[in-house]
Amino acid sequence: MVTKELLEAIRQYDVPTVCNALECFGICSRTDGYISGENIKEIVPVSGGPMIGFAATAKYSTSNPAPKGFVSDEAGYYRHVKETREPTIAVQQDIDKHMVSAIWGDVNLHIHKLLGCAGTLTNGGVRDNEAARENNFGYYAPCSNPSHGYYHLVDYGCPVEIFGLTIHPGDIVMCDEHGAVLIPEKVAPYLPEACRAMTEAEYPVLKNADKALAEGRDVSVDEIMAWKKEMAARRKTYTPPAID
């Protein structure tokens, strides 16, 4: 069972550390399951650590007006967000070939904040950044944009694709300045311990290097290789549980 307390324990670490920890379980490729910081920017961070939560998904269009007679089911979408486990992240895909407008702004973030959202992960633009900061609402997006264009809801509660990463409703997503990563729910209960082990495994390099730098001491390559050898050995001491 993934609880708020468990997610809070995971968010004590950053996204790179979570990626390191996920490698221990060997359930996915080391080049899958995340979005790089080249595409997703931490435009407005949340306080206290990375943004983490369960995905409430939607697809939007902004480049052209909605077809004549088209009516968005916004009430249905809001129910979907409200029924998603908290903390919730609104994961929204702009389906247009050229994403030219902001699908997030002052009104949207206030409504989603009321519905239990910590923030948004989107391939579209965002605006009203100061309002997001004032409300501690995370903006993880490629850019800011002053106009909302022809913003209209197309679908919700469906798989979405954000820069090549497919995210399903209810998936656990974590974002920080480095990008975003999917956390398999079956692995989540073991992640805090794996993150701690991976962090402590780096101590032989980091602490010895910091000490040498503080002392202004010349370090030999042999010393560096010895530190790295100890780091590798420490990593091997962590044995993750078997995951089906």
Side-chain angles (χ1 to χ4, degrees), residues 97-233:
K97 184 176 181 180
H98 300 292
M99 294 158 282
V100 297
S101 304
I103 63 176
W104 278 91
D106 202 355
V107 171
N108 211 10
L109 77 87
H110 273 86
I111 291 172
H112 283 77
K113 185 79 173 180
L114 284 172
L115 295 173
C117 279
T120 184
L121 169 64
T122 179
N123 64 333
V126 296
R127 65 180 190 170
D128 299 325
N129 299 348
E130 185 57 35
R133 279 187 285 272
E134 290 173 355
N135 285 276
N136 191 30
F137 192 88
Y139 270 178
Y140 291 83
C143 64
S144 296
N145 195 298
S147 173
H148 59 203
Y150 297 101
Y151 169 81
H152 58 281
L153 172 71
V154 174
D155 198 4
Y156 64 88
C158 55
V160 296
E161 185 176 313
I162 309 295
F163 293 109
L165 181 63
T166 299
I167 299 174
H168 294 82
D171 280 351
I172 303 172
V173 183
M174 183 175 178
C175 310
D176 70 6
E177 62 183 329
H178 303 92
V181 65
L182 276 179
I183 298 175
E185 186 159 353
K186 60 186 178 181
V187 172
Y190 311 105
L191 264 187
E193 176 60 21
C195 287
R196 183 195 62 77
M198 294 303 101
T199 298
E200 293 181 356
E202 296 177 350
Y203 287 173
V205 174
L206 302 183
K207 291 194 171 183
N208 282 313
D210 284 343
K211 186 172 186 295
L213 288 167
E215 295 171 351
R217 182 171 65 82
D218 184 51
V219 174
S220 70
V221 171
D222 286 343
E223 285 181 280
I224 293 172
M225 295 307 295
W227 299 342
K228 291 195 69 177
K229 183 177 180 180
E230 184 179 351
M231 179 179 69

Side-chain angles (χ1 to χ4, degrees), residues 75-96:
Y77 166 67
Y78 291 148
R79 282 191 287 269
H80 164 61
V81 175
K82 192 169 185 177
E83 291 166 2
T84 300
R85 285 182 288 175
E86 293 186 21
T88 309
I89 295 177
V91 182
Q92 297 193 348
Q93 177 187 354
D94 188 329
I95 65 172
D96 300 318

Side-chain angles (χ1 to χ4, degrees), residues 1-113:
M1 184 67 175
V2 178
T3 63
K4 289 183 180 179
E5 290 73 22
L6 174 60
L7 295 185
E8 189 61 30
I10 295 172
R11 76 187 291 261
Q12 302 311 304
Y13 300 92
D14 58 19
V15 167
T17 301
V18 168
C19 287
N20 287 350
L22 288 173
E23 292 175 6
C24 299
F25 298 89
I27 62 173
C28 58
S29 167
R30 295 186 182 190
T31 58
D32 291 332
Y34 61 85
I35 307 169
S36 76
E38 178 183 7
N39 293 315
I40 290 298
K41 315 297 183 189
E42 187 178 55
I43 294 176
V44 178
V46 294
S47 63
M51 181 175 75
I52 188 170
F54 299 97
T57 62
K59 293 182 178 181
Y60 282 82
S61 178
T62 62
S63 292
N64 298 291
K68 187 175 181 179
F70 178 85
V71 178
S72 295
D73 184 10
E74 290 191 336
Y77 166 67
Y78 291 148
R79 282 191 287 269
H80 164 61
V81 175
K82 192 169 185 177
E83 291 166 2
T84 300
R85 285 182 288 175
E86 293 186 21
T88 309
I89 295 177
V91 182
Q92 297 193 348
Q93 177 187 354
D94 188 329
I95 65 172
D96 300 318
K97 184 176 181 180
H98 300 292
M99 294 158 282
V100 297
S101 304
I103 63 176
W104 278 91
D106 202 355
V107 171
N108 211 10
L109 77 87
H110 273 86
I111 291 172
H112 283 77
K113 185 79 173 180

